Amino acid sequence: MFPESVPSSSPSASQAGTPRILGFFEFTWLFFVQPVRLHHRLKALGVPPGASMWELGPRLREPAVRAFVLHSALLLFLITPLAAAAFGLAFQTTGLLVNWVSLAVIIGFGVGFGVAVGIFFDVAFGNGFGVVGGVAFSIGFGVGFGAGLDVALSIGFGVAVGIFLDVAFSFWVGEGFAVAGGIVAVVLFVVLGGATVGGVFGVLDGIAFGVGGVVASCRLPTWILEAPLTWCVSLLARSGLLSPKTASKLLPFRAHDLIYLPLPGLRSLLVSLGDRSPSLAGELLSTCAESVGQKRAARLALHEMQARSLELAGRDRLWESVAEGTLRWLPRYLEPGSPCQYFRSAARELRAAGVSDSHRHQRLVFARAAQAMGDFKKNVIWRQPTSLERLLLPVAAQWLRVIENEQSVLERKQRENPQLPTCFVVGSALTLDDHVLFKGRRDLTQLIDHEVVSERRAPLFLWGQRRMGKSSFLNQLDLQLGGGMRIVRVDFGHLDGSPLRRTPHRWVIELVAKAVPGAPPLPDAGPWLPALEWLVKLEPLLQERNQRCLVAIDEVENLQDGIAQGWTDPGFLRFVRAAGDQLRRIRFLLVSAHPLERLGHDWTDRLISAVPYTLTYLEEDAARELVTRPCDGFPDIYPEGGVQSILSATHCQPHFTQAVCDALVRRLNADKRFTATSLDVERAIDQAYNAQFHVLQELWQAQTADEQAWLRRLAGANAKLTDPDIALTSLERYGYVESHDGEYGVAVPLFARWIRQHERLT
């Protein structure tokens, strides 16, 4: 209803410890004026509000239940006779004839009927009918109004019925009866009742009954007093003549649950209190959220306060507060589609700009922040905006002006203190935005493209060492394969934490359904065969559109962890194999950090027909281009022989190559230089080696004991061999070792350096 940033003040939640048992006068007040609050108080005490005496009887030893029954009995047996007698005396003093015998009889009937309803059906309805109905009927039949005054009697009956239904239902369900069309039901009831009364006593009586019921159920008499009171309190508080605390105490909706009509001035007061007393404003917003007729005013006030908070955040550069959801009135967790999401995205980019010392990075994040604001404006301008969106449009314009100002400051800094562009990406996969950095791999892309469009049906299996660029390769497929191929990317990196880890095939088809508009309805959750049948049904749609679909599953090796640990089974592998046998336009690409034979028998048995591919080191030309032209306008910063030194140290491994180049660029920027020396290159290699120590350790741990023994031997010096064993042959096949004319050595010098240091440490 309202964001989490607004504290809750529901009656059930506000009671600390054991709730206090209600006294009789408090119970009576709550019953007629605050029935919703009474409902929550009784539930907190463990008393079911809609129970009958038949259900409550066995629990009379409980103090709360006993107090509830006693108070209900006092309402029926004390309030009803006293109220009826008071009205009778009042009428008698005006000269009207009072038949005390008839009055007493009808009182007894009302009380008796209320008791019967309370015992067998519901105490709430019994109280409501017994008190309100008993008083109204006793006056009607006990007081001689005379000719013409029966219309007043009919109005009284209508009022009694309206109050009875209003109070009883609100108390019963714990929410104002106007919710979910309840007030419409009341109006229909009293209109039908009016028609019945009109048929028996006369048309004027029926109209009077209906009017009285509608007026009472809408609480118009009290609203006529509450509306000007709220407006005056709002005016005085906003002008400073009333303190926020005093103003909040005078608001009628805090003491009256059933104000169905909106109160004028409430929204303006809430907005004013949001600036002057935020905690009090939050409390009032929560109370409004539980009030029947004030929810819209509270919602509009909250929207205005959110817009003002974002405006102040833009003015004062409070990007951290917006990004982390700690900004006042902005919820920490935004609902999907919330317009505030655009501002949070922009704030995260602007926060990143504030902590970065790279001019290029700052320029990129400023552009993304401006794009987020532009996307918000474009999303709103083509349709009818919501109240919050209308308020946020000028705020978005203000944020854009702030971003433009920051971009101007950055341009001045670039002129006064130019930097080398920090183009290299270390530690994360390249995205489509980083496509300029993606070098080589064209031959592999062409092979996969040819395979996918062929008539073969087998799955594809791509493996490569860790940090060889597999995820980056998948991210570029959209650009490399063209628009006729829909790429569905599935990341099994966190499969163990997924709610669908036992049925990963379900995860796959859900993502496919999102990627293909107009896809048939998904089958019910269950085994993989219905999922395969769903994919078969999807193929004609793809054929009709002349499209194909490649389901690329990254880090698929984590499935083997689940099989070994028992939280999934090899069923997904059977699903992939069956899909390869039956589907033509949907192909599976499994991407792993381990070759197929290393994953175990389940994999080689079920994926025996898989088409294997290997992602290995970059060709030297591609690696040289990565070093010298990572982005447009990158200058020549390397000394003579510097590029070759980097390529030799990393063996054109893309991750290590970028790590060395990034370290070199940052070193030069720190020294405000644009040309490196040979010593700078050596130190950048050392810095990258130390920073990538954990990656090198992962490569070591991926080897068997026999393979590690060979790596130890070859890290010290190359060895010339004529008859390599299985372990050495595997190392060569997997790219960790290379041979030239029978001389074997570790492929990546940085890895050999790590092995030597590891040996000294152990």
Side-chain angles (χ1 to χ4, degrees):
M1 184 177 297
F2 289 106
E4 295 179 12
S5 56
V6 177
S8 173
S9 64
S10 64
S12 58
S14 63
Q15 307 299 322
T18 304
R20 177 178 53 83
I21 296 176
L22 300 171
F24 173 68
F25 293 107
E26 184 181 9
F27 177 85
T28 304
W29 170 265
L30 291 174
F31 186 82
F32 287 105
V33 182
Q34 298 177 321
V36 177
R37 217 156 304 189
L38 177 59
H39 175 96
H40 292 296
R41 291 285 294 274
L42 289 174
K43 285 188 70 175
L45 287 164
V47 180
S52 65
M53 275 299 301
W54 191 268
E55 297 170 308
L56 294 176
R59 299 179 55 189
L60 285 176
R61 291 187 178 182
E62 300 176 25
V65 174
R66 187 166 60 249
F68 173 58
V69 172
L70 178 61
H71 297 337
S72 300
L74 287 174
L75 271 180
L76 280 173
F77 295 111
L78 180 63
I79 297 299
T80 302
L82 289 178
F87 278 114
L89 288 172
F91 285 125
Q92 192 173 43
T93 58
T94 63
L96 295 174
L97 179 63
V98 177
N99 187 333
W100 292 100
V101 175
S102 298
L103 187 142
V105 170
I106 299 303
I107 288 175
F109 170 77
V111 171
F113 192 85
V115 169
V117 172
I119 289 176
F120 295 104
F121 296 102
D122 192 316
V123 172
F125 282 90
N127 284 349
F129 184 87
V131 178
V132 180
V135 172
F137 278 90
S138 63
I139 294 171
F141 286 94
V143 179
F145 283 94
L149 291 179
D150 54 343
V151 173
L153 175 63
S154 297
I155 291 178
F157 283 163
V159 169
V161 169
I163 293 175
F164 155 63
L165 290 173
D166 200 16
V167 169
F169 275 99
S170 298
F171 169 57
W172 184 40
V173 303
E175 193 166 3
F177 194 47
V179 175
I183 197 67
V184 177
V186 171
V187 171
L188 290 175
F189 182 86
V190 296
V191 168
L192 292 174
T196 303
V197 171
V200 177
F201 297 101
V203 175
L204 289 179
D205 291 326
I207 294 174
F209 178 90
V211 170
V214 172
V215 168
S217 51
C218 293
R219 302 245 167 169
L220 282 175
T222 56
W223 182 85
I224 292 173
L225 300 175
E226 292 161 340
L229 174 60
T230 303
W231 184 83
C232 290
V233 169
S234 174
L235 182 64
L236 293 173
R238 285 183 286 123
S239 62
L241 298 177
L242 273 182
S243 68
K245 190 172 182 180
T246 303
S248 68
K249 290 180 179 179
L250 295 175
L251 292 173
F253 76 88
R254 303 195 72 181
H256 187 186
D257 285 347
L258 305 180
I259 304 177
Y260 293 117
L261 300 177
L263 295 169
L266 179 59
R267 181 189 62 81
S268 302
L269 175 61
L270 291 173
V271 173
S272 174
L273 292 179
D275 295 331
R276 298 168 59 191
S277 180
S279 59
L280 184 58
E283 180 185 343
L284 290 176
L285 283 173
S286 295
T287 307
C288 285
E290 297 161 5
S291 177
V292 178
Q294 314 317 312
K295 294 178 182 179
R296 185 172 184 274
R299 187 180 300 109
L300 293 176
L302 180 60
H303 289 171
E304 190 168 342
M305 288 187 280
Q306 289 175 334
R308 293 175 70 167
S309 289
L310 286 170
E311 182 182 4
L312 291 175
R315 186 194 69 186
D316 298 335
R317 312 303 199 262
L318 303 177
W319 313 130
E320 180 73 22
S321 298
V322 181
E324 295 301 322
T326 57
L327 186 71
R328 184 179 296 158
W329 309 122
L330 201 67
R332 182 177 293 274
Y333 303 105
L334 296 172
E335 296 179 359
S338 169
C340 295
Q341 190 66 60
Y342 293 96
F343 290 84
R344 179 159 293 175
S345 298
R348 286 172 176 165
E349 299 291 353
L350 294 168
R351 176 183 62 179
V355 299
S356 174
D357 57 0
S358 166
H359 291 172
R360 180 177 183 273
H361 182 236
Q362 289 176 339
R363 185 171 64 254
L364 292 174
V365 297
F366 284 148
R368 289 196 292 266
Q371 182 179 358
M373 291 294 92
D375 289 344
F376 166 71
K377 295 178 71 174
K378 286 189 291 186
N379 184 54
V380 171
I381 200 171
W382 294 110
R383 58 177 175 79
Q384 183 66 29
T386 64
S387 61
L388 179 57
E389 288 170 340
R390 279 194 297 270
L391 292 167
L392 290 178
L393 276 172
V395 180
Q398 178 225 14
W399 277 45
L400 280 171
R401 290 193 297 271
V402 171
I403 294 170
E404 290 170 359
N405 181 66
E406 294 291 337
Q407 289 172 324
S408 300
V409 172
L410 176 61
E411 290 175 2
R412 186 170 64 252
K413 287 169 60 179
Q414 288 176 318
R415 289 192 300 268
E416 296 173 354
N417 183 25
Q419 285 185 349
L420 292 172
T422 52
C423 310
F424 301 99
V425 176
V426 182
S428 59
L430 301 180
T431 65
L432 275 177
D433 293 336
D434 307 314
H435 67 275
V436 177
L437 270 173
F438 188 76
K439 309 294 183 181
R441 313 299 194 194
R442 188 60 188 167
D443 54 342
L444 180 59
T445 304
Q446 291 174 345
L447 287 173
I448 290 179
D449 185 31
H450 175 75
E451 180 64 36
V452 170
V453 300
S454 71
E455 293 300 314
R456 291 187 63 179
R457 302 184 183 183
L460 287 65
F461 188 90
L462 173 66
W463 94 271
Q465 298 176 19
R466 293 196 180 278
R467 304 302 177 101
M468 193 62 79
K470 300 182 296 298
S471 298
S472 299
F473 177 75
L474 294 184
N475 289 340
Q476 306 304 314
L477 286 179
D478 275 317
L479 190 64
Q480 302 284 336
L481 298 183
M485 183 73 66
R486 289 197 173 271
I487 310 296
V488 179
R489 173 80 182 275
V490 189
D491 188 358
F492 274 14
H494 301 288
L495 179 63
D496 58 339
S498 169
L500 296 174
R501 66 179 190 171
R502 294 188 179 278
T503 55
H505 60 272
R506 181 71 188 187
W507 187 9
V508 168
I509 64 170
E510 285 182 0
L511 292 177
V512 172
K514 291 179 180 178
V516 182
L522 289 170
D524 295 334
W528 60 264
L529 186 57
L532 177 62
E533 293 171 349
W534 180 83
L535 290 175
V536 172
K537 293 178 183 177
L538 183 63
E539 289 226 312
L541 179 63
L542 293 172
Q543 185 171 5
E544 179 184 337
R545 298 174 179 175
N546 195 25
Q547 291 181 335
R548 294 179 181 272
C549 180
L550 179 64
V551 181
I553 305 177
D554 199 7
E555 299 193 49
V556 73
E557 69 272 11
N558 287 314
L559 185 71
Q560 179 58 34
D561 295 337
I563 296 173
Q565 296 169 18
W567 47 260
T568 191
D569 57 49
F572 182 76
L573 300 176
R574 291 192 289 271
F575 167 70
V576 172
R577 178 177 179 175
D581 292 339
Q582 298 189 35
L583 303 176
R584 289 181 178 271
R585 290 191 167 267
I586 303 174
R587 299 290 293 275
F588 280 78
L589 171 62
L590 308 183
V591 182
S592 170
H594 303 296
L596 190 61
E597 58 269 22
R598 284 285 179 96
L599 293 174
H601 176 72
D602 287 329
W603 295 73
T604 53
D605 180 55
R606 291 169 176 81
L607 300 179
I608 190 172
S609 60
V611 182
Y613 296 100
T614 302
L615 191 73
T616 185
Y617 306 101
L618 290 174
E619 296 289 339
E620 184 169 324
D621 288 344
R624 187 177 296 275
E625 183 181 355
L626 173 62
V627 173
T628 58
R629 286 195 297 161
C631 58
D632 294 337
F634 192 82
D636 182 10
I637 65 172
Y638 302 99
E640 184 177 355
V643 174
Q644 191 59 47
S645 297
I646 295 173
L647 299 184
S648 298
T650 63
H651 196 63
C652 300
Q653 204 271 11
H655 175 77
F656 295 145
T657 300
Q658 290 205 75
V660 173
C661 294
D662 183 68
L664 181 60
V665 168
R666 293 183 184 279
R667 180 180 183 83
L668 293 177
N669 281 337
D671 294 342
K672 297 183 179 181
R673 292 185 288 127
F674 294 93
T675 304
T677 65
S678 298
L679 182 60
D680 290 324
V681 173
E682 291 178 12
R683 290 181 175 176
I685 292 173
D686 292 341
Q687 185 176 344
Y689 168 76
N690 292 325
Q692 302 304 315
F693 196 89
H694 63 289
V695 178
L696 296 165
Q697 187 174 31
E698 286 181 359
L699 296 178
W700 174 258
Q701 293 172 345
Q703 316 308 319
T704 66
D706 290 342
E707 291 167 348
Q708 288 178 353
W710 271 113
L711 289 171
R712 289 190 190 96
R713 176 180 173 182
L714 297 177
N718 291 351
K720 196 170 185 66
L721 302 167
T722 57
D723 188 20
D725 61 9
I726 295 177
L728 183 57
T729 303
S730 296
L731 286 172
E732 184 179 16
R733 185 168 68 251
Y734 299 152
Y736 296 103
V737 167
E738 290 188 348
S739 65
H740 300 282
D741 298 328
E743 185 174 321
Y744 290 81
V746 178
V748 181
L750 283 180
F751 189 29
R753 177 178 172 180
W754 183 92
I755 295 170
R756 291 192 296 271
Q757 182 175 352
H758 178 265
E759 281 297 286
R760 288 196 299 271
L761 292 175
T762 57

